[in-house]
Amino acid sequence: MSTLETMSRHRCHGGVQGFYRHASTACAGPMRFALYQPPQAEYRPCPVLYFLAGLTCTEETAAIKAGAQRLAAELGLILVMPDTSPRDTGFDGATGDWEFGEGAGFYVDATEAPWSARFRMHSYVVDELPALIAANFPADTARSGICGHSMGGHGALTIALKHPGRYRSVSAFAPIVAPSQVPWGRKALPRYLGENPEAWAGYDACELVRRQTFPGTILIDQGEADTFLEAQLKPELFDQACAEAGQPLLLRRHVGYDHSYWFISSFIDDHLRHHAEALG
Amino acid sequence: MSTLETMSRHRCHGGVQGFYRHASTACAGPMRFALYQPPQAEYRPCPVLYFLAGLTCTEETAAIKAGAQRLAAELGLILVMPDTSPRDTGFDGATGDWEFGEGAGFYVDATEAPWSARFRMHSYVVDELPALIAANFPADTARSGICGHSMGGHGALTIALKHPGRYRSVSAFAPIVAPSQVPWGRKALPRYLGENPEAWAGYDACELVRRQTFPGTILIDQGEADTFLEAQLKPELFDQACAEAGQPLLLRRHVGYDHSYWFISSFIDDHLRHHAEALG
């Protein structure tokens, strides 16, 4: 277990918004995350909600822009917001392209060199980070939910579907649901996983839900004015896959809302309540 | 009246968060501001709450970090968040010092060259911006309140006290209340206003409240873990000045809170309700 370094801590809504860094085994280097402790965490272990951010984001993005702390303080939820990839990897092509590499880890365990040495965000989020949280914070990690936005919505859906029983609740904002079929995924997945459609399917929510459903309703919010809606997001594909698999899905489409955190902050409370209900 | 240029608009909490630019007469160059229109603005004119930000901030800071839109949407308040100074002035010494010049306009009308040509944030906020809002948005500018943080708290208090009847409500987070007496003010005011203590007093809340009280309770929130508390903020000076002047003041001190927007976002709802009550 690596040592946790506190970058900063701020009193917020009666709890503490902290920013932390540690040496990651999964990602073979330093990783950063933000964590909000609600006031209740001073007295008892609290359930945990992971929020996975999208392309170009860091551990600061959702912490600053989503506006989740207010209701998390009321509901007694710990919020964990990891960075979206390892940083300063020095790999050729790891920076300079917002759709691939640093800031674009896609929540996979890469199998192709050089990415396989550092880009293991799936193991990081599923195994290493929860153990670190359990060891360092008053967290009841048996009660965990997962949420995310865009690439992070893809992360939340695939992680919840791949690990039945690990998460009691899952939701997403404007998620990439079929990376095997859309430009973002068709660009990133081959470079991380090789030219192997079966490997891509292991990180494709539409494929995964056909193999194993999630024991609970999946909540997805999608803005109708989202410029990525038609080419990259295609929620109708997940809607159809869920219908065929018998997966309960609440897919809400919101007129006028775009892909930004202005959209997320407008509906984050509904997601927190969705998770709090499942996390008890 | 200058033409308003829309930089971006985003659906948010049923209303619209916009970012705008225009050619300012007061500041003799382009100025930017953020404005949130609540859903009610589609049907009727809404009261206006100005939020003045602090040193280093822009029109984006409070819009992104304060988390005010959620309750503003419920209460039907228009939020106006201007930039903290003119930009790209090219004046010697206007950049490179976070405590003076661009990003540090101190909400004064400078009288010293070269600053007097552009740094006229007092006239901009009090006269030009309200006229621009009235002409371009469904605003009931007769019902206006003003709020601010740190240097912007100083701006809100001095503007409200200097213009009786113009604002129905005023509040501040961790304001500079006695710029004539603290390092931030002693550094900036002589450069903007000359070596004239009477000119400084015209922008000093502690001095102004002794000359003319505000017709209503002033709300101030202050964090006790604010690193600027003892040297720069000194709320006890305003507390004493208000007591001597018979000015109703609700000064709340919050254990553990610092100077950041983590503090502001924790108490912004109380400020919005304070203003909404006065604005009807």
Side-chain angles (χ1 to χ4, degrees), chain B residues 235-276:
Chain B
E236 66 278 7
L237 296 179
F238 194 61
D239 199 15
Q240 186 182 342
C242 286
E244 291 170 12
Q247 169 65 55
L249 169 69
L250 177 55
L251 169 60
R252 310 191 302 182
R253 292 170 174 271
H254 302 279
V255 174
Y257 285 86
D258 63 23
H259 198 65
S260 70
Y261 276 80
W262 303 112
F263 161 59
I264 295 173
S265 67
S266 299
F267 298 102
I268 190 71
D269 285 3
D270 292 348
H271 286 245
L272 293 177
R273 292 189 195 285
H274 170 80
H275 290 278

Side-chain angles (χ1 to χ4, degrees), chain A residues 32-275:
Chain A
R32 296 189 305 244
F33 65 92
L35 185 144
Y36 178 70
Q37 287 187 68
Q40 296 86 340
E42 288 185 33
Y43 309 106
R44 57 173 170 77
C46 291
V48 181
L49 176 59
Y50 294 87
F51 187 98
L52 307 182
L55 291 166
T56 77
C57 293
T58 73
E59 76 285 1
E60 292 189 327
T61 313
I64 291 174
K65 295 184 171 181
Q69 291 90 351
R70 186 191 64 87
L71 190 58
E74 187 178 316
L75 298 172
L77 291 174
I78 290 174
L79 305 175
V80 180
M81 298 158 276
D83 198 357
T84 54
S85 79
R87 301 283 173 176
D88 304 313
T89 59
F91 296 158
D92 257 6
T95 59
D97 182 347
W98 68 281
E99 297 175 322
F100 181 78
E102 296 183 20
F106 273 87
Y107 304 99
V108 302
D109 285 349
T111 53
E112 297 294 297
W115 316 104
S116 52
R118 299 286 306 274
F119 284 72
R120 302 186 68 249
M121 288 300 290
H122 184 82
S123 289
Y124 177 71
V125 169
V126 172
D127 295 322
E128 185 174 12
L129 189 55
L132 191 74
I133 302 304
N136 289 278
F137 298 94
D140 179 1
T141 50
R143 293 186 291 155
S144 293
I146 192 162
C147 175
H149 171 229
S150 195
M151 175 184 76
H154 146 77
L157 294 174
T158 55
I159 284 171
L161 289 166
K162 280 168 87 81
H163 300 278
R166 190 80 67 98
Y167 302 89
R168 293 195 189 177
S169 50
V170 58
S171 72
F173 294 90
I176 304 169
V177 296
S180 307
Q181 301 182 53
V182 303
W184 275 337
R186 293 301 288 264
K187 176 177 181 176
L189 295 184
R191 295 178 71 181
Y192 287 133
L193 304 171
E195 290 289 349
N196 176 3
E198 181 48 36
W200 311 342
Y203 294 104
D204 185 306
C206 284
E207 295 295 328
L208 289 167
V209 77
R210 295 179 203 275
R211 302 175 187 184
Q212 170 81 56
T213 56
F214 182 82
T217 298
I218 297 173
L219 169 63
I220 293 180
D221 277 322
Q222 174 63 56
E224 289 282 288
D226 186 325
T227 52
F228 301 113
L229 178 56
E230 286 187 25
Q232 304 278 11
L233 303 177
K234 296 184 178 292
E236 66 278 7
L237 296 179
F238 194 61
D239 199 16
Q240 186 181 344
C242 286
E244 291 170 12
Q247 170 66 55
L249 169 69
L250 177 55
L251 169 59
R252 310 191 303 182
R253 293 170 174 269
H254 302 279
V255 173
Y257 285 87
D258 62 24
H259 199 64
S260 70
Y261 276 79
W262 303 111
F263 161 58
I264 296 174
S265 66
S266 299
F267 298 102
I268 189 71
D269 285 3
D270 292 348
H271 286 245
L272 293 178
R273 292 189 195 284
H274 170 81
H275 289 277

Side-chain angles (χ1 to χ4, degrees), chain B residues 90-116:
Chain B
F91 296 158
D92 256 7
T95 59
D97 181 348
W98 67 280
E99 298 175 322
F100 181 78
E102 295 183 19
F106 274 87
Y107 304 100
V108 302
D109 284 351
T111 53
E112 297 294 297
W115 316 104
S116 52

Side-chain angles (χ1 to χ4, degrees), chain B:
Chain B
M1 179 66 59
S2 60
T3 307
L4 201 61
E5 181 184 358
T6 300
M7 311 301 290
S8 69
R9 282 165 55 94
H10 311 271
R11 179 68 57 184
C12 180
H13 284 289
V16 179
Q17 177 61 58
F19 295 89
Y20 306 92
R21 186 166 61 181
H22 69 110
S24 163
T25 306
C27 296
M31 287 294 293
R32 295 188 308 242
F33 66 92
L35 184 144
Y36 178 69
Q37 287 187 69
Q40 295 85 342
E42 288 184 32
Y43 308 107
R44 56 172 170 79
C46 291
V48 181
L49 176 60
Y50 295 87
F51 186 99
L52 306 183
L55 291 167
T56 78
C57 292
T58 73
E59 76 285 0
E60 291 188 328
T61 313
I64 291 173
K65 294 184 170 181
Q69 292 88 354
R70 186 192 63 88
L71 190 57
E74 189 179 316
L75 298 173
L77 291 175
I78 290 175
L79 305 174
V80 180
M81 298 159 277
D83 198 357
T84 54
S85 79
R87 302 283 173 176
D88 304 314
T89 59
F91 296 158
D92 256 7
T95 59
D97 181 348
W98 67 280
E99 298 175 322
F100 181 78
E102 295 183 19
F106 274 87
Y107 304 100
V108 302
D109 284 351
T111 53
E112 297 294 297
W115 316 104
S116 52
R118 299 285 306 274
F119 285 72
R120 303 185 69 248
M121 288 299 290
H122 183 82
S123 290
Y124 177 71
V125 170
V126 172
D127 296 321
E128 184 173 12
L129 188 55
L132 191 74
I133 302 304
N136 288 279
F137 298 94
D140 179 1
T141 50
R143 293 186 290 155
S144 292
I146 192 162
C147 175
H149 170 229
S150 195
M151 176 185 75
H154 147 77
L157 294 174
T158 55
I159 284 171
L161 289 166
K162 279 167 89 81
H163 300 279
R166 190 80 67 96
Y167 302 89
R168 294 195 187 176
S169 51
V170 58
S171 73
F173 293 90
I176 304 169
V177 296
S180 307
Q181 301 182 52
V182 303
W184 274 337
R186 292 302 287 266
K187 176 177 181 176
L189 295 185
R191 295 178 71 180
Y192 287 132
L193 303 171
E195 290 291 348
N196 176 4
E198 180 48 35
W200 311 342
Y203 293 105
D204 185 306
C206 284
E207 295 296 329
L208 290 167
V209 77
R210 295 180 203 274
R211 303 177 187 183
Q212 169 81 56
T213 57
F214 182 82
T217 299
I218 297 174
L219 170 63
I220 293 181
D221 277 322
Q222 175 63 57
E224 290 281 287
D226 186 325
T227 52
F228 300 112
L229 177 56
E230 287 186 25
Q232 305 278 12
L233 304 177
K234 297 183 178 294
E236 66 278 7
L237 296 179
F238 194 61
D239 199 15
Q240 186 182 342
C242 286
E244 291 170 12
Q247 169 65 55
L249 169 69
L250 177 55
L251 169 60
R252 310 191 302 182
R253 292 170 174 271
H254 302 279
V255 174
Y257 285 86
D258 63 23
H259 198 65
S260 70
Y261 276 80
W262 303 112
F263 161 59
I264 295 173
S265 67
S266 299
F267 298 102
I268 190 71
D269 285 3
D270 292 348
H271 286 245
L272 293 177
R273 292 189 195 285
H274 170 80
H275 290 278
E277 192 172 327
L279 298 175

